[in-house]
Amino acid sequence: MADEREWRPDPTSHVYVYLQVVHHIAEQIRAGRLRAGARLPAERDLAEQYGVAVNTVRRAVRDLRDRGLVITVPIKGTFVRPEASPEAPGSEDGTVN
């Protein structure tokens, strides 16, 4: 994974930088380099690793959450979501039974 840390988004690309980060992390998850339950580095650490602003990483993490690839637990961090995580009852409409 040492060479994975050297990857940087291409600022000259037509693809938004945050989406390049999303695609890179999603590929790491799909390839198994980031396994279910693995904790992602803190946002500031990811920003430093990718050479981008913290807000860019925040937007990328939000997108990864929206795609169902990661979950964020307040104070604990952001984790790769288990592949077959069961939906909680009522979670589709935002209500909890």
Side-chain angles (χ1 to χ4, degrees):
M1 191 147 143
D3 41 79
E4 287 299 323
R5 293 192 177 272
E6 294 175 16
W7 180 87
R8 296 280 176 127
D10 178 5
T12 64
S13 172
H14 68 282
V15 178
Y16 290 117
V17 171
Y18 86 93
L19 280 177
Q20 292 179 55
V21 173
V22 168
H23 294 153
H24 184 255
I25 293 173
E27 178 54 33
Q28 287 186 312
I29 292 169
R30 284 188 202 96
R33 288 186 294 273
L34 284 174
R35 299 185 187 277
R39 185 176 182 274
L40 294 181
E43 290 176 346
R44 290 183 194 276
D45 294 336
L46 281 173
E48 185 177 319
Q49 174 183 331
Y50 289 125
V52 299
V54 173
N55 282 337
T56 300
V57 169
R58 283 190 183 131
R59 189 168 182 187
V61 170
R62 185 173 59 234
D63 195 287
L64 288 164
R65 268 196 312 268
D66 291 347
R67 293 174 187 221
L69 294 174
V70 300
I71 57 171
T72 299
V73 180
I75 302 174
K76 298 220 178 228
T78 299
F79 301 86
V80 176
R81 189 175 198 152
E83 291 177 32
S85 74
E87 289 292 323
S91 64
E92 290 179 16
D93 62 3
T95 60
V96 178
N97 293 338

